[in-house]
Amino acid sequence: MSAIADHLWQSTWFACAAWLLALFVRKDSARVRYWVWMAASLKFLVPFAVLSWIGNHFVIQLDDMPTLLPFVQQAAAPLTGTITIEYLDQTSRYTVIAVWVLGSVILLGRWIAGWVRSRSLVRTSTACEIVAPIAVRCSDRLAEPAVVGILDPVVLLPRYALRTLTPAQIDAVIAHEAWHVRRRDNLAASLHNLVQIVFWFHPLLWWIGAKLIHEREHACDEGAIQDGYDPLVYAETLLRVCRHAVTLRHLCAASVSGGDLRARVRAIVSGPRPSRVALLNRAVLAAALFACISLATASGMRVFTASDLTVAAGARSIQLNRSDERSVTVVHDDYIYARNTSLRELISEAYAVNGRGIRSDDRALDYPRYNIELRTPRSGSGDRRQLVADFLKQQFNLELITR
């Protein structure tokens, strides 16, 4: 429960950061804003703990001069620290889990019902004699144009559209739907639906879903206008289609009437708003994404500074380690500092050889684990390899023979 709470807190923080970034690029292309919100949605599927685990495999050995990494780890601490939930007893936790699973099952059933309905619409539709870059079919059961399918998408047109829309307006509708296919909006919508099914109780996800639909439709409008369609004709087509349409809440398809209709028409007729800082906006977005990934990854790294290691001259210390901490071995010119290491890892690090090539008839090379501190009698002099060889011979009666 604590790990889940920690993940939800991190995802909430990420969604708030996405909102600020979306405000920052509000004058940029809708496609850019769409992917900002999509990143906020997909963050719920990628815990920062995964990135921290990746960082946990790196050991950074620093010189005496401080670097930026320790400060980065301090900044990341509030975002990666674990939230402890102790006030729920076992019965309450089981109740919360049961309600969570029940809500997910209900939403999953609703999504499956929508998918079945969309496939039924495709099966009962008929081919249209319309020249288009994608398959176009007509249906009497459809209220508005939509794209159905992910792997093999099909544009479905309501049959009334063939009677009430002019050929130019039909072309504009198909251009809008073709952009849904190019952008793979149905696949992206399915990914967000998966996130909503799993974390249905988080209100930000429903808000993000509304933002995704809003920016998705704006992006397709922008694409159609860029293809050369007259903005006034396109806006009139949009109004005419939406006049006959009803919202398809249970259909797994990208439809033409999604989003804020008033805002879409205003954006269409006002024309493109070129931004002189578009390149700067996208650079800021890339930097923000890189910073989030770097913070989470750096939080898991282990940092050792040579000046902070208190390995006394002439030290020959070995202790059993029964903890589950990550193995760390720091090799210097005149000392070796290791935590939770095995003899195999010690030999591999000290002699710069592949540990897989070190063989033994028993498990002594890998278990147990040790904390080891070795240093030559006088700091700054000596051979660490000879230091390790003498130590292994004395402590484990092991002798390394080089050929």
Side-chain angles (χ1 to χ4, degrees):
M1 294 292 289
S2 296
I4 295 173
D6 188 47
H7 171 59
L8 291 176
W9 154 244
Q10 295 163 1
S11 299
T12 300
W13 165 83
F14 194 91
C16 293
W19 172 66
L20 293 176
L21 289 174
L23 289 178
F24 181 77
V25 297
R26 63 186 181 277
K27 294 184 179 180
D28 208 326
S29 170
R31 303 172 196 175
V32 175
R33 297 192 299 272
Y34 174 84
W35 283 111
V36 170
W37 291 114
M38 195 66 202
S41 173
L42 295 180
K43 167 60 189 73
F44 281 83
L45 296 180
V46 184
F48 274 153
V50 174
L51 298 176
S52 181
W53 175 80
I54 295 174
N56 202 32
H57 288 74
F58 294 92
V59 178
I60 308 299
Q61 183 176 348
L62 305 178
D63 296 329
D64 294 339
M65 183 177 295
T67 65
L68 184 61
L69 183 58
F71 300 101
V72 170
Q73 291 185 324
Q74 292 180 5
L79 306 178
T80 57
T82 302
I83 299 175
T84 304
I85 298 179
E86 299 179 347
Y87 55 84
L88 292 179
D89 56 23
Q90 188 173 12
T91 302
S92 299
R93 293 186 183 185
Y94 286 152
T95 302
V96 170
I97 293 174
V99 174
W100 185 356
V101 173
L102 179 61
S104 296
V105 169
I106 292 174
L107 289 180
L108 178 62
R110 181 183 177 184
W111 184 86
I112 293 175
W115 180 83
V116 170
R117 183 186 174 202
S118 66
R119 301 316 302 173
S120 175
L121 286 173
V122 174
R123 287 194 301 268
T124 58
S125 63
T126 58
C128 295
E129 296 182 358
I130 297 177
V131 179
I134 52 179
V136 181
R137 302 179 68 85
C138 299
S139 174
D140 292 323
R141 301 168 53 193
L142 196 63
E144 61 181 332
V147 174
V148 177
I150 297 176
L151 299 178
D152 189 17
V154 176
V155 174
L156 292 182
L157 291 179
R159 201 168 297 277
Y160 77 82
L162 300 180
R163 301 189 302 266
T164 60
L165 299 182
T166 65
Q169 290 174 333
I170 292 177
D171 289 342
V173 169
I174 294 177
H176 177 96
E177 303 302 333
W179 271 101
H180 281 303
V181 176
R182 293 182 200 176
R183 290 164 39 82
R184 301 186 183 275
D185 283 335
N186 281 355
L187 174 60
S190 297
L191 291 175
H192 179 72
N193 285 337
L194 173 62
V195 177
Q196 281 188 326
I197 288 171
V198 176
F199 300 105
W200 56 269
F201 50 85
H202 202 303
L204 275 182
L205 277 175
W206 300 94
W207 180 57
I208 291 173
K211 292 293 185 180
L212 283 172
I213 294 175
H214 176 80
E215 301 298 351
R216 178 186 73 189
E217 299 305 322
H218 272 290
C220 291
D221 292 338
E222 290 176 353
I225 298 302
Q226 290 174 7
D227 287 343
Y229 289 91
D230 181 79
L232 294 179
V233 174
Y234 185 86
E236 181 184 356
T237 302
L238 183 63
L239 291 172
R240 197 163 185 177
V241 170
C242 293
R243 187 179 298 122
H244 296 276
V246 294
T247 304
L248 297 180
R249 296 179 180 176
H250 304 292
L251 183 62
C252 295
S255 58
V256 73
S257 66
D260 186 340
L261 182 59
R262 179 179 299 177
R264 288 176 61 189
V265 171
R266 185 185 302 115
I268 292 169
V269 298
S270 63
R273 293 180 298 175
S275 176
R276 297 180 181 179
V277 294
L279 185 59
L280 175 62
N281 289 346
R282 296 173 193 190
V284 170
L285 290 178
L289 179 61
F290 177 78
C292 290
I293 296 175
S294 300
L295 278 173
T297 305
S299 67
M301 293 181 179
R302 292 289 298 274
V303 182
F304 286 90
T305 304
S307 60
D308 292 338
L309 294 179
T310 56
V311 182
R316 287 174 176 258
S317 170
I318 179 171
Q319 298 176 346
L320 287 176
N321 188 312
R322 295 184 175 86
S323 68
D324 58 353
E325 64 179 340
R326 184 172 52 87
S327 174
V328 174
T329 303
V330 179
V331 179
H332 202 262
D333 291 338
D334 66 332
Y335 71 80
I336 293 178
Y337 175 91
R339 284 292 178 269
N340 195 28
T341 190
S342 65
L343 294 182
R344 183 189 303 276
E345 294 170 347
L346 177 64
I347 296 171
S348 175
E349 290 287 346
Y351 288 87
V353 297
N354 189 344
R356 297 179 181 178
I358 305 173
R359 299 182 180 180
S360 174
D361 295 334
D362 55 27
R363 303 176 64 190
L365 285 175
D366 299 299
Y367 300 98
R369 314 286 292 184
Y370 303 98
N371 295 338
I372 297 175
E373 294 182 7
L374 302 176
R375 192 159 196 164
T376 56
R378 289 180 298 173
S379 179
S381 64
D383 183 357
R384 70 167 184 269
R385 295 189 176 183
Q386 186 60 44
L387 182 68
V388 174
D390 295 343
F391 176 76
L392 293 176
K393 184 174 180 59
Q394 178 184 355
Q395 293 289 335
F396 301 98
N397 196 27
L398 293 177
E399 187 173 0
L400 302 180
I401 301 175
T402 59
R403 296 180 181 180

